Amino acid sequence: MYNLIADILKYGLVLVVYMFIYSVIKLIYLDITDTRRMENSLVGAIAYLKTITIGKNLKYKLFDSYGIRENSVVGSSKKCDVYIKDPYMSKENTSIFLKDGAFYIQDLNSTNGTYVNDKKLTAAPKRLKDGDKIKMGELNFVFVDPYEMA
């Protein structure tokens, strides 16, 4: 009887150790893929969003900046060009696009809206300038256009 209990505990312990090793490997893999995704978003970026949300206890990974190309969709869906796992951000929250040499931002009917310089966006696209403050979900960003700065 004691041998049976000892065997069950032994195999149970082995199972717990394997589950721990699996979860560690999974976390490392997810961290590497998130970092690669962020680095890839900066390759070929024309402008970028600089994160200014500081001091919040967020339950998801947030990078310092996110690259913006000629036409980028920002949202909480992995299909978006700029993917941020913010629970207060819509799947396709905002579109930032280049038109006639200037960047524009447009809210994509998001639940919580998109704000530029503390003003809620309407349906019409709004021209972005270097240094504009953008709020999406619970996050704040500064729009940086290096070509406008020059």
Side-chain angles (χ1 to χ4, degrees):
M1 179 70 172
Y2 291 113
N3 287 338
L4 178 64
I5 293 173
D7 285 343
I8 291 172
L9 289 175
K10 181 172 55 173
Y11 289 120
L13 181 63
V14 169
L15 181 66
V16 168
V17 168
Y18 278 121
M19 287 174 51
F20 175 76
I21 292 170
Y22 170 76
S23 63
V24 168
I25 291 171
K26 183 179 175 185
L27 284 173
I28 291 170
Y29 170 76
L30 291 174
D31 190 48
I32 290 170
T33 56
D34 276 353
T35 304
R36 281 189 188 148
R37 183 178 178 95
M38 190 275 303
E39 288 171 351
N40 289 340
S41 81
L42 293 174
V43 173
I46 302 170
Y48 61 94
L49 296 175
K50 177 77 175 152
T51 307
I52 57 173
T53 300
I54 299 173
K56 288 195 171 190
N57 294 328
L58 302 174
K59 295 181 181 177
Y60 51 91
K61 184 175 257 183
L62 188 63
F63 295 109
D64 290 337
S65 58
Y66 296 89
I68 301 296
R69 293 187 172 91
E70 288 184 21
N71 189 7
S72 296
V73 175
V74 182
S76 63
S77 169
K78 288 186 178 181
K79 295 178 183 176
C80 290
D81 303 303
V82 178
Y83 163 63
I84 304 170
K85 198 175 179 178
D86 181 353
Y88 298 100
M89 193 177 291
S90 296
K91 288 184 180 181
E92 289 187 348
N93 197 88
T94 306
S95 174
I96 301 175
F97 57 93
L98 186 64
K99 180 180 175 187
D100 299 327
F103 277 97
Y104 290 84
I105 186 169
Q106 184 173 19
D107 185 71
L108 300 175
N109 297 319
S110 63
T111 304
N112 294 317
T114 302
Y115 296 81
V116 175
N117 298 325
D118 297 322
K119 294 179 183 169
K120 189 171 184 175
L121 289 180
T122 59
K126 177 178 177 21
R127 187 175 189 274
L128 282 173
K129 294 180 287 261
D130 183 59
D132 279 346
K133 293 179 185 170
I134 302 170
K135 181 178 186 329
M136 295 177 276
E138 65 176 341
L139 302 174
N140 294 296
F141 303 92
V142 172
F143 177 73
V144 180
D145 185 353
Y147 297 106
E148 189 176 309
M149 291 170 45

